[in-house]
Amino acid sequence: MLPDFPWPPPRYSAFEVFERDSLAPAEGARLGMVAQRFEAAFDAAGYVERSYYRVPGGFALASRAEQIRADASPYPAPERWSVDAGGAGKSFADRLRALFNAPPGHYRVIVFVVTDQDFAAAPRAAQEGEALAWVSGGGLRLPSSIAALPFTPTHYASALIYEFERRSEHEPADVRVPSAAPGRVHLEKGGLWQALAAN
């Protein structure tokens, strides 16, 4: 069984809501089809690690943390993933230490949420350690029991952007609320908007 994503989601830096028909055909669409679209977009844009969570009426899919510039564009690899270099091979404590020891700059985690429930962000902002753990704390695939559920007219999909800024080597990273860039810009700079449009 998938673990639950925090609900309502912690306050995010930016967001983008997708047009329902752009993610799956209107007739006979299933949540699994939407998940496949998001997985394919993550793969095409270089986000090869992600993790599934359960949310009311759907699922969440969280990316690995990446290092970005102030304009929301990612650093080239390997610097892009230096915040938790080594990825899945590292323990949660190692990943957390990597963020606390990361150089000053901007970092981002992207979470796709598909649900049939209206929600508003929780009053509290996400903590850097919490967001960093999302990629390794969930499921590696969407269970068939959720994938087979209909993607109904009441379902909608959003991208929640969690941007963190570390101002010095001696300070923890703080979530930027709001981000200087809107959600669609984050998706475009990360290559996800283009990947979703192409699929």
Side-chain angles (χ1 to χ4, degrees), residues 148-198:
L149 294 174
F151 184 46
T152 70
T154 59
H155 278 87
Y156 65 105
S158 308
L160 309 182
I161 314 298
Y162 292 91
E163 181 184 352
F164 297 88
E165 183 178 7
R166 187 178 173 92
R167 293 180 177 84
S168 80
E169 295 179 357
H170 306 292
E171 297 180 27
D174 294 319
V175 66
R176 297 194 71 190
V177 181
S179 172
R184 179 164 175 173
V185 170
H186 278 278
L187 297 175
E188 289 174 342
K189 296 283 189 177
L192 288 164
W193 188 265
Q194 300 88 322
L196 284 168

Side-chain angles (χ1 to χ4, degrees), residues 2 30-36 38-39 51-55 58-61 114 138-149:
L2 287 183
R30 303 288 171 181
L31 295 188
M33 297 176 183
V34 182
Q36 289 174 354
F38 286 141
E39 284 193 13
S51 195
Y52 279 103
Y53 291 85
R54 185 177 54 185
V55 302
F59 66 88
L61 182 59
V114 179
L140 298 180
R141 66 177 182 169
L142 188 65
S144 58
S145 58
I146 297 177
L149 294 174

Side-chain angles (χ1 to χ4, degrees), residues 20-198:
R20 184 186 178 282
D21 292 343
S22 70
L23 297 174
E27 294 296 325
R30 303 288 171 181
L31 295 188
M33 297 176 183
V34 182
Q36 289 174 354
R37 289 291 306 280
F38 286 141
E39 284 193 13
F42 268 152
D43 285 342
Y47 298 82
V48 295
E49 294 178 6
R50 60 268 180 152
S51 195
Y52 279 103
Y53 291 85
R54 185 177 54 185
V55 302
F59 66 88
L61 182 59
S63 76
R64 180 176 172 180
E66 61 183 319
Q67 186 173 7
I68 62 172
R69 298 182 178 90
D71 69 354
S73 61
Y75 278 74
E79 290 82 8
R80 179 180 186 182
W81 310 113
S82 64
V83 62
D84 59 348
K90 289 199 168 189
S91 68
F92 169 68
D94 287 338
R95 286 172 177 262
L96 200 57
R97 193 176 302 112
L99 182 59
F100 291 147
N101 295 328
H106 298 257
Y107 302 88
R108 173 175 64 204
V109 173
I110 297 173
V111 182
F112 291 125
V113 175
V114 179
T115 180
D116 61 0
Q117 304 292 310
D118 292 330
F119 68 88
R124 71 174 186 89
Q127 300 299 306
E128 68 270 22
E130 175 185 21
L132 186 65
W134 286 336
V135 73
S136 59
L140 298 180
R141 66 177 182 169
L142 188 65
S144 58
S145 58
I146 297 177
L149 294 174
F151 184 46
T152 70
T154 59
H155 278 87
Y156 65 105
S158 308
L160 309 182
I161 314 298
Y162 292 91
E163 181 184 352
F164 297 88
E165 183 178 7
R166 187 178 173 92
R167 293 180 177 84
S168 80
E169 295 179 357
H170 306 292
E171 297 180 27
D174 294 319
V175 66
R176 297 194 71 190
V177 181
S179 172
R184 179 164 175 173
V185 170
H186 278 278
L187 297 175
E188 289 174 342
K189 296 283 189 177
L192 288 164
W193 188 265
Q194 300 88 322
L196 284 168

